Amino acid sequence: MNNKELTAELSRRLGYTNKDVERLLGSVVDIISSQLQENKVFTIQGFGNFYVCKKKERVTVNPATKQRFLIPPRLVLLFKPAIPFKEKLKNKSTDER
């Protein structure tokens, strides 16, 4: 599902116009972004947690040239699904078998 499809589905379910839903989604994304930029955890109840984690620097080797490279530290976005959401996915995967 892309952004256009999400906007259309939300407007259909909520009875809002596409413009209103686009503004609403834009605001939600801005709020989530600002929270994560402040290194805060963003939780959606029943869905999961989004958080930023710092990866340490590390050394890696190019297997072809055997040259060693230093990969600098960086921030990564992580997601940890909530237990009810994990259970839904687990039950769906077992139903398909």
Side-chain angles (χ1 to χ4, degrees):
M1 176 178 278
N2 61 29
N3 194 39
K4 193 173 187 178
E5 294 168 343
L6 176 63
T7 302
E9 181 64 21
L10 278 174
S11 67
R12 185 187 66 77
R13 287 187 185 195
L14 299 175
Y16 295 149
T17 65
N18 280 350
K19 272 288 197 222
D20 289 340
V21 172
E22 284 176 13
R23 285 192 4 238
L24 177 67
L25 281 176
S27 296
V28 169
V29 169
D30 288 344
I31 292 168
I32 293 171
S33 297
S34 66
Q35 292 294 304
L36 292 172
Q37 286 174 353
E38 296 173 10
N39 271 346
K40 295 181 180 175
V41 175
F42 187 82
T43 302
I44 300 174
Q45 184 119 15
F47 185 68
N49 299 326
F50 295 91
Y51 57 98
V52 176
C53 184
K54 184 176 183 179
K55 280 193 157 189
K56 296 180 182 179
E57 69 181 11
R58 60 190 175 95
V59 176
T60 187
V61 178
N62 181 339
T65 64
K66 306 294 187 215
Q67 186 176 8
R68 297 168 60 101
F69 292 98
L70 178 67
I71 297 177
R74 63 186 174 135
L75 298 175
V76 293
L77 178 63
L78 299 173
F79 172 71
K80 182 176 181 185
I83 293 172
F85 184 61
K86 283 169 110 173
E87 290 299 320
K88 279 185 182 180
L89 291 177
K90 189 186 296 183
N91 291 338
K92 179 139 177 92
S93 67
T94 57
D95 290 344
E96 292 175 354
R97 290 182 186 172

